[in-house]
PDB file of all heavy atoms in Angstrom:
ATOM      1  N   MET B 981      48.700 166.836 150.023  1.00 97.00           N
ATOM      2  CA  MET B 981      47.501 166.069 150.360  1.00 97.00           C
ATOM      3  C   MET B 981      46.244 166.542 149.632  1.00 97.00           C
ATOM      4  O   MET B 981      45.127 166.399 150.124  1.00 97.00           O
ATOM      5  CB  MET B 981      47.275 166.048 151.880  1.00 97.00           C
ATOM      6  CG  MET B 981      48.302 165.224 152.643  1.00 97.00           C
ATOM      7  SD  MET B 981      48.369 163.486 152.142  1.00 97.00           S
ATOM      8  CE  MET B 981      46.858 162.864 152.848  1.00 97.00           C
ATOM      9  N   MET B 982      46.403 167.102 148.424  1.00 97.00           N
ATOM     10  CA  MET B 982      45.236 167.383 147.590  1.00 97.00           C
ATOM     11  C   MET B 982      44.764 166.085 146.928  1.00 97.00           C
ATOM     12  O   MET B 982      45.572 165.229 146.572  1.00 97.00           O
ATOM     13  CB  MET B 982      45.579 168.402 146.499  1.00 97.00           C
ATOM     14  CG  MET B 982      46.001 169.784 146.999  1.00 97.00           C
ATOM     15  SD  MET B 982      44.720 170.651 147.928  1.00 97.00           S
ATOM     16  CE  MET B 982      45.482 170.631 149.584  1.00 97.00           C
ATOM     17  N   ASP B 983      43.467 165.937 146.747  1.00 98.00           N
ATOM     18  CA  ASP B 983      42.926 164.757 146.082  1.00 98.00           C
ATOM     19  C   ASP B 983      43.292 164.762 144.604  1.00 98.00           C
ATOM     20  O   ASP B 983      43.112 165.771 143.916  1.00 98.00           O
ATOM     21  CB  ASP B 983      41.395 164.728 146.217  1.00 98.00           C
ATOM     22  CG  ASP B 983      40.935 164.467 147.641  1.00 98.00           C
ATOM     23  OD1 ASP B 983      41.686 163.806 148.384  1.00 98.00           O
ATOM     24  OD2 ASP B 983      39.831 164.915 147.992  1.00 98.00           O
ATOM     25  N   GLY B 984      43.816 163.637 144.118  1.00 98.00           N
ATOM     26  CA  GLY B 984      44.071 163.471 142.696  1.00 98.00           C
ATOM     27  C   GLY B 984      45.385 164.004 142.190  1.00 98.00           C
ATOM     28  O   GLY B 984      45.680 163.893 140.991  1.00 98.00           O
ATOM     29  N   ARG B 985      46.211 164.555 143.065  1.00 97.00           N
ATOM     30  CA  ARG B 985      47.395 165.251 142.543  1.00 97.00           C
ATOM     31  C   ARG B 985      48.430 164.308 141.959  1.00 97.00           C
ATOM     32  O   ARG B 985      49.129 164.671 141.011  1.00 97.00           O
ATOM     33  CB  ARG B 985      47.996 166.164 143.618  1.00 97.00           C
ATOM     34  CG  ARG B 985      49.015 165.512 144.573  1.00 97.00           C
ATOM     35  CD  ARG B 985      48.379 164.861 145.735  1.00 97.00           C
ATOM     36  NE  ARG B 985      49.339 164.709 146.824  1.00 97.00           N
ATOM     37  CZ  ARG B 985      49.336 163.690 147.653  1.00 97.00           C
ATOM     38  NH1 ARG B 985      48.459 162.730 147.527  1.00 97.00           N
ATOM     39  NH2 ARG B 985      50.213 163.621 148.633  1.00 97.00           N
ATOM     40  N   CYS B 986      48.552 163.087 142.465  1.00 98.00           N
ATOM     41  CA  CYS B 986      49.563 162.179 141.920  1.00 98.00           C
ATOM     42  C   CYS B 986      49.255 161.810 140.473  1.00 98.00           C
ATOM     43  O   CYS B 986      50.156 161.770 139.627  1.00 98.00           O
ATOM     44  CB  CYS B 986      49.654 160.919 142.778  1.00 98.00           C
ATOM     45  SG  CYS B 986      50.495 161.160 144.351  1.00 98.00           S
ATOM     46  N   GLY B 987      47.981 161.536 140.192  1.00 98.00           N
ATOM     47  CA  GLY B 987      47.605 161.161 138.838  1.00 98.00           C
ATOM     48  C   GLY B 987      47.830 162.276 137.842  1.00 98.00           C
ATOM     49  O   GLY B 987      48.352 162.052 136.738  1.00 98.00           O
ATOM     50  N   ILE B 988      47.454 163.488 138.196  1.00 98.00           N
ATOM     51  CA  ILE B 988      47.615 164.619 137.293  1.00 98.00           C
ATOM     52  C   ILE B 988      49.091 164.951 137.107  1.00 98.00           C
ATOM     53  O   ILE B 988      49.547 165.257 135.996  1.00 98.00           O
ATOM     54  CB  ILE B 988      46.821 165.831 137.807  1.00 98.00           C
ATOM     55  CG1 ILE B 988      45.324 165.492 137.822  1.00 98.00           C
ATOM     56  CG2 ILE B 988      47.072 167.068 136.954  1.00 98.00           C
ATOM     57  CD1 ILE B 988      44.447 166.546 138.485  1.00 98.00           C
ATOM     58  N   LEU B 989      49.863 164.856 138.180  1.00 98.00           N
ATOM     59  CA  LEU B 989      51.301 165.087 138.073  1.00 98.00           C
ATOM     60  C   LEU B 989      51.955 164.026 137.191  1.00 98.00           C
ATOM     61  O   LEU B 989      52.802 164.344 136.342  1.00 98.00           O
ATOM     62  CB  LEU B 989      51.931 165.095 139.465  1.00 98.00           C
ATOM     63  CG  LEU B 989      53.440 165.336 139.546  1.00 98.00           C
ATOM     64  CD1 LEU B 989      53.827 166.664 138.907  1.00 98.00           C
ATOM     65  CD2 LEU B 989      53.901 165.293 141.005  1.00 98.00           C
ATOM     66  N   ARG B 990      51.568 162.768 137.357  1.00 98.00           N
ATOM     67  CA  ARG B 990      52.137 161.711 136.530  1.00 98.00           C
ATOM     68  C   ARG B 990      51.805 161.927 135.052  1.00 98.00           C
ATOM     69  O   ARG B 990      52.662 161.780 134.174  1.00 98.00           O
ATOM     70  CB  ARG B 990      51.625 160.342 136.999  1.00 98.00           C
ATOM     71  CG  ARG B 990      52.017 159.165 136.116  1.00 98.00           C
ATOM     72  CD  ARG B 990      53.522 159.014 135.995  1.00 98.00           C
ATOM     73  NE  ARG B 990      54.133 158.542 137.230  1.00 98.00           N
ATOM     74  CZ  ARG B 990      55.419 158.691 137.532  1.00 98.00           C
ATOM     75  NH1 ARG B 990      56.223 159.358 136.696  1.00 98.00           N
ATOM     76  NH2 ARG B 990      55.908 158.224 138.670  1.00 98.00           N
ATOM     77  N   GLN B 991      50.566 162.308 134.761  1.00 98.00           N
ATOM     78  CA  GLN B 991      50.187 162.581 133.370  1.00 98.00           C
ATOM     79  C   GLN B 991      51.022 163.715 132.785  1.00 98.00           C
ATOM     80  O   GLN B 991      51.460 163.649 131.622  1.00 98.00           O
ATOM     81  CB  GLN B 991      48.703 162.939 133.316  1.00 98.00           C
ATOM     82  CG  GLN B 991      47.760 161.786 133.630  1.00 98.00           C
ATOM     83  CD  GLN B 991      46.327 162.246 133.801  1.00 98.00           C
ATOM     84  OE1 GLN B 991      45.961 163.350 133.408  1.00 98.00           O
ATOM     85  NE2 GLN B 991      45.502 161.400 134.404  1.00 98.00           N
ATOM     86  N   ALA B 992      51.264 164.754 133.582  1.00 98.00           N
ATOM     87  CA  ALA B 992      52.057 165.887 133.104  1.00 98.00           C
ATOM     88  C   ALA B 992      53.501 165.480 132.845  1.00 98.00           C
ATOM     89  O   ALA B 992      54.110 165.902 131.850  1.00 98.00           O
ATOM     90  CB  ALA B 992      51.997 167.023 134.125  1.00 98.00           C
ATOM     91  N   LEU B 993      54.067 164.646 133.702  1.00 98.00           N
ATOM     92  CA  LEU B 993      55.438 164.173 133.493  1.00 98.00           C
ATOM     93  C   LEU B 993      55.538 163.347 132.215  1.00 98.00           C
ATOM     94  O   LEU B 993      56.487 163.498 131.433  1.00 98.00           O
ATOM     95  CB  LEU B 993      55.886 163.337 134.693  1.00 98.00           C
ATOM     96  CG  LEU B 993      56.128 164.097 136.006  1.00 98.00           C
ATOM     97  CD1 LEU B 993      56.292 163.117 137.158  1.00 98.00           C
ATOM     98  CD2 LEU B 993      57.347 165.006 135.905  1.00 98.00           C
ATOM     99  N   GLU B 994      54.576 162.483 131.994  1.00 98.00           N
ATOM    100  CA  GLU B 994      54.581 161.667 130.784  1.00 98.00           C
ATOM    101  C   GLU B 994      54.473 162.548 129.540  1.00 98.00           C
ATOM    102  O   GLU B 994      55.163 162.324 128.536  1.00 98.00           O
ATOM    103  CB  GLU B 994      53.428 160.658 130.830  1.00 98.00           C
ATOM    104  CG  GLU B 994      53.584 159.562 131.866  1.00 98.00           C
ATOM    105  CD  GLU B 994      54.689 158.578 131.525  1.00 98.00           C
ATOM    106  OE1 GLU B 994      54.841 158.239 130.331  1.00 98.00           O
ATOM    107  OE2 GLU B 994      55.401 158.144 132.454  1.00 98.00           O
ATOM    108  N   ALA B 995      53.597 163.548 129.604  1.00 98.00           N
ATOM    109  CA  ALA B 995      53.395 164.432 128.451  1.00 98.00           C
ATOM    110  C   ALA B 995      54.653 165.214 128.116  1.00 98.00           C
ATOM    111  O   ALA B 995      54.887 165.559 126.946  1.00 98.00           O
ATOM    112  CB  ALA B 995      52.238 165.393 128.730  1.00 98.00           C
ATOM    113  N   GLU B 996      55.501 165.486 129.113  1.00 98.00           N
ATOM    114  CA  GLU B 996      56.737 166.240 128.908  1.00 98.00           C
ATOM    115  C   GLU B 996      57.920 165.330 128.602  1.00 98.00           C
ATOM    116  O   GLU B 996      59.050 165.810 128.478  1.00 98.00           O
ATOM    117  CB  GLU B 996      57.045 167.083 130.148  1.00 98.00           C
ATOM    118  CG  GLU B 996      56.062 168.223 130.390  1.00 98.00           C
ATOM    119  CD  GLU B 996      56.277 169.387 129.440  1.00 98.00           C
ATOM    120  OE1 GLU B 996      57.397 169.537 128.915  1.00 98.00           O
ATOM    121  OE2 GLU B 996      55.307 170.153 129.221  1.00 98.00           O
ATOM    122  N   GLY B 997      57.667 164.041 128.514  1.00 98.00           N
ATOM    123  CA  GLY B 997      58.758 163.106 128.252  1.00 98.00           C
ATOM    124  C   GLY B 997      59.625 162.817 129.455  1.00 98.00           C
ATOM    125  O   GLY B 997      60.709 162.231 129.315  1.00 98.00           O
TER     126      GLY B 997
END
Side-chain angles (χ1 to χ4, degrees):
M981 290 301 287
M982 297 298 112
D983 291 332
R985 87 274 201 214
C986 285
I988 297 172
L989 180 58
R990 173 59 71 201
Q991 291 170 16
L993 290 169
E994 291 290 321
E996 292 285 336

